[in-house]
Amino acid sequence: MSPTGWLVLGLAVILVAGLPYWLPRTVIALRVRIFARVGGEEGVRAPGEEVPADEFKKVYGHPAADGRSRGAALSDLFWYWLSPGPEVHQEHLEPGPRYDDVARTTRQILAGLSRERWAELVGRCTRRVLDELDGHARVQQVRLRDLMMPVWAEVYYEVVFRAPCPRHVRDLITGNADDVVSALKCTRLRHMDRRARLTAHLRDRLAHDPPPGPLPATLTPREQAYYLQGTFFNTAVVQMSEAMAHLLLALATHRPVQDRLASGQEDPDFLDGVINETLQHFPLFGVAHRITSGEIPRDGRDPIPAGSVLLFNYPEYQGSGGDPFDPDRWLDPDTRPSAFIPFGVTANRPCPARGFAVLTMRVAAEEVLRRFRLDSSVEHTRSLPSRGPCLLVPRTGAEVRSRTRLAVMRLADSWEGVWRSLVQLALGSYMVWDARRQALCRNYFAASPGGSATSVPAGR
């Protein structure tokens, strides 16, 4: 082979060997450009040139930043991903009597349990799911999101129906939630049949054995099933599973922090600090959009016009990932980050679970740490499309840290990222296009300008 041939071969080898380091980032940048082109160049970014970080909370909390779906092309995309029933999903209802009814019902259902009962329920469900793991005496590899999703399926079923969750219903809930979050992350196309099976079960259950708690009176029976599916068995299950996957992966990749917790000698507030630090680095929300119903005045700046689409970027506002992982800073009020909104802004649709989310995460984490040491070498990103590969090492055995196994895990995760990024590019581009083509949100409001309950159901 000529010197030129050897040079070309060498460059090709270097290029291929470096794929995990440059291709996923290149594809992500390309996806952003494609999504912006297909989705439309709309929106006022916050923080950004028009809304700096020091105005973020003020603008977010202004009464005029109250529109949720109507008037934003982005709504078509989120309605598409959250189907069926996005028209009655609490996060996507427009302000008004139906939103007030739905939000009030959610608060009543969640308030039906005291903090003590929440702790007992989460601990019991976590133990039951962990008991199902094969081979308690050996090291096993899991995907943390997959491990935790059945826990929250059982928890929220019992919260709603005040009865233990049958196994086949748990499978329906986890199948639905996994389909929603996989579509959101563009790792898989949505499969409406999986979601429809849960809808059918909920409609049958409401018709023959309704829950003892309240249901939104302004919704039809069909919409009540969609409400439960969207609020509790989509959003609640997905978000808590994601939160726990991030928390456990942070412990697996920061072994000294995990060892401090396992020692039993730490300040009881330290685990809460670990949870807060995790939510600071890996916020559950990416970008939340709101449509202004009126002008928002500002000191020394032009007002934000009515009809603007505000894009609130949580990771950018919190500066996520810019600092070392340091849970100790949460133990001192003087060192806690001020730009921290893990559950949204109180004045504008905050997460209904904000009052007990940290408590329940703490209980679930303690149950896992009581049984296992956690080890992982994978890349930890906010979107976590890998679902969090991790080794569970039983605490009943000898201390084991397989450098070879962790090295293989890291290598496999890197190359999975290459293939996964290409899949996300292809599937994400298609779903953005398909969402704009179906225009679920726009068609809904066009058919019923007031957004009445008689409109054609979205998402089919």
Side-chain angles (χ1 to χ4, degrees):
M1 184 181 294
S2 67
T4 302
W6 281 110
L7 177 61
V8 171
L9 178 62
L11 291 175
V13 169
I14 292 172
L15 185 67
V16 171
L19 281 175
Y21 302 99
W22 64 267
L23 183 59
R25 291 172 176 81
T26 303
V27 170
I28 288 172
L30 182 58
R31 282 175 56 208
V32 170
R33 295 185 64 180
I34 291 175
F35 288 6
R37 184 174 181 83
V38 176
E41 296 285 353
E42 64 174 359
V44 177
R45 291 181 297 171
E49 184 177 346
E50 297 178 76
V51 181
D54 59 357
E55 292 187 1
F56 185 97
K57 288 185 179 179
K58 183 178 179 180
V59 172
Y60 203 160
H62 193 278
D66 60 349
R68 189 57 185 95
S69 290
R70 188 176 188 175
L74 280 172
S75 298
D76 284 329
L77 184 58
F78 283 102
W79 279 40
Y80 177 88
W81 276 330
L82 293 175
S83 295
E87 74 274 19
V88 294
H89 193 292
Q90 181 169 332
E91 261 300 291
H92 294 274
L93 275 169
E94 291 299 291
R98 288 215 301 170
Y99 171 75
D100 294 338
D101 183 25
V102 164
R104 181 172 54 251
T105 301
T106 301
R107 290 193 299 269
Q108 290 173 340
I109 292 174
L110 295 176
L113 275 68
S114 65
R115 291 177 66 84
E116 291 75 19
R117 288 186 64 194
W118 271 107
E120 185 279 329
L121 172 61
V122 172
R124 171 163 44 88
C125 292
T126 305
R127 289 191 295 273
R128 183 160 51 240
V129 170
L130 294 180
D131 284 343
E132 297 172 3
L133 288 172
D134 292 330
H136 294 284
R138 63 181 179 85
V139 178
Q140 54 193 306
Q141 183 169 332
V142 300
R143 304 274 177 165
L144 291 170
R145 193 183 83 197
D146 300 347
L147 175 67
M148 299 309 300
M149 195 168 278
V151 173
W152 300 106
E154 290 198 7
V155 166
Y156 281 100
Y157 182 91
E158 193 161 335
V159 167
V160 171
F161 291 106
R162 299 295 192 263
C165 182
R167 178 59 184 266
H168 74 281
V169 180
R170 189 182 87 179
D171 292 342
L172 288 176
I173 295 171
T174 55
N176 167 81
D178 181 65
D179 190 68
V180 170
V181 70
S182 297
L184 279 165
K185 296 180 187 298
C186 303
T187 57
R188 189 172 63 216
L189 292 173
R190 64 181 195 155
H191 294 84
M192 295 304 294
D193 57 331
R194 297 178 187 174
R195 308 185 191 192
R197 286 193 286 269
L198 177 59
T199 306
H201 169 80
L202 291 173
R203 293 191 67 177
D204 182 71
R205 176 68 193 261
L206 294 182
H208 298 98
D209 188 16
L215 289 171
T218 56
L219 303 185
T220 66
R222 172 183 61 82
E223 290 175 327
Q224 288 175 346
Y226 284 158
Y227 156 72
L228 292 178
Q229 184 165 349
T231 302
F232 294 97
F233 305 130
N234 281 3
T235 300
V237 172
V238 166
Q239 294 289 54
M240 291 306 298
S241 301
E242 285 280 299
M244 284 303 304
H246 280 299
L247 173 60
L248 297 178
L249 189 57
L251 292 173
T253 54
H254 295 85
R255 188 61 181 271
V257 174
Q258 182 184 167
D259 290 342
R260 287 174 60 181
L261 288 171
S263 71
Q265 300 176 357
E266 275 298 331
D267 184 317
D269 293 332
F270 182 63
L271 180 51
D272 286 357
V274 177
I275 294 172
N276 285 333
E277 184 72 353
T278 300
L279 294 173
Q280 175 76 17
H281 280 259
F282 310 103
L284 297 177
F285 306 113
V287 176
H289 74 277
R290 298 290 187 268
I291 304 98
T292 57
S293 59
E295 187 175 88
I296 299 180
R298 297 184 295 168
D299 295 336
R301 289 179 175 271
D302 292 337
I304 298 174
S308 299
V309 180
L310 296 166
L311 303 177
F312 296 102
N313 190 315
Y314 280 68
E316 188 171 339
Y317 174 67
Q318 292 189 173
S320 302
D323 297 321
F325 193 84
D326 181 17
D328 286 306
R329 60 179 171 161
W330 296 92
L331 302 179
D332 184 347
D334 294 333
T335 58
R336 293 176 184 173
S338 58
F340 182 58
I341 49 169
F343 306 109
V345 175
T346 303
N348 193 337
R349 301 195 185 198
C351 175
R354 64 192 182 283
F356 51 83
V358 172
L359 164 68
T360 53
M361 290 176 67
R362 183 198 314 140
V363 171
E366 288 172 341
E367 292 291 343
V368 174
L369 291 174
R370 191 172 292 118
R371 299 193 188 199
F372 300 105
R373 290 185 295 273
L374 308 172
D375 257 333
S376 185
S377 55
V378 301
E379 183 181 14
H380 192 174
T381 63
R382 192 202 71 81
S383 63
L384 203 62
S386 67
R387 313 193 313 280
C390 183
L391 298 179
L392 300 183
V393 183
R395 291 195 177 275
T396 54
E399 171 71 15
V400 175
R401 290 206 78 185
S402 173
R403 295 184 183 276
T404 301
R405 193 163 183 174
L406 289 173
V408 170
M409 177 188 285
R410 176 64 178 176
L411 183 63
D413 180 67
S414 298
W415 283 99
E416 280 181 21
V418 172
W419 169 247
R420 187 169 52 238
S421 64
L422 295 174
V423 169
Q424 289 178 294
L425 176 63
L427 300 187
S429 299
Y430 169 78
M431 287 190 286
V432 170
W433 170 82
D434 195 33
R436 295 302 303 274
R437 179 183 65 85
Q438 293 195 34
L440 300 177
C441 181
R442 281 176 289 161
N443 290 340
Y444 174 77
F445 284 103
S448 178
S452 70
T454 59
S455 297
V456 177
R460 303 309 297 170

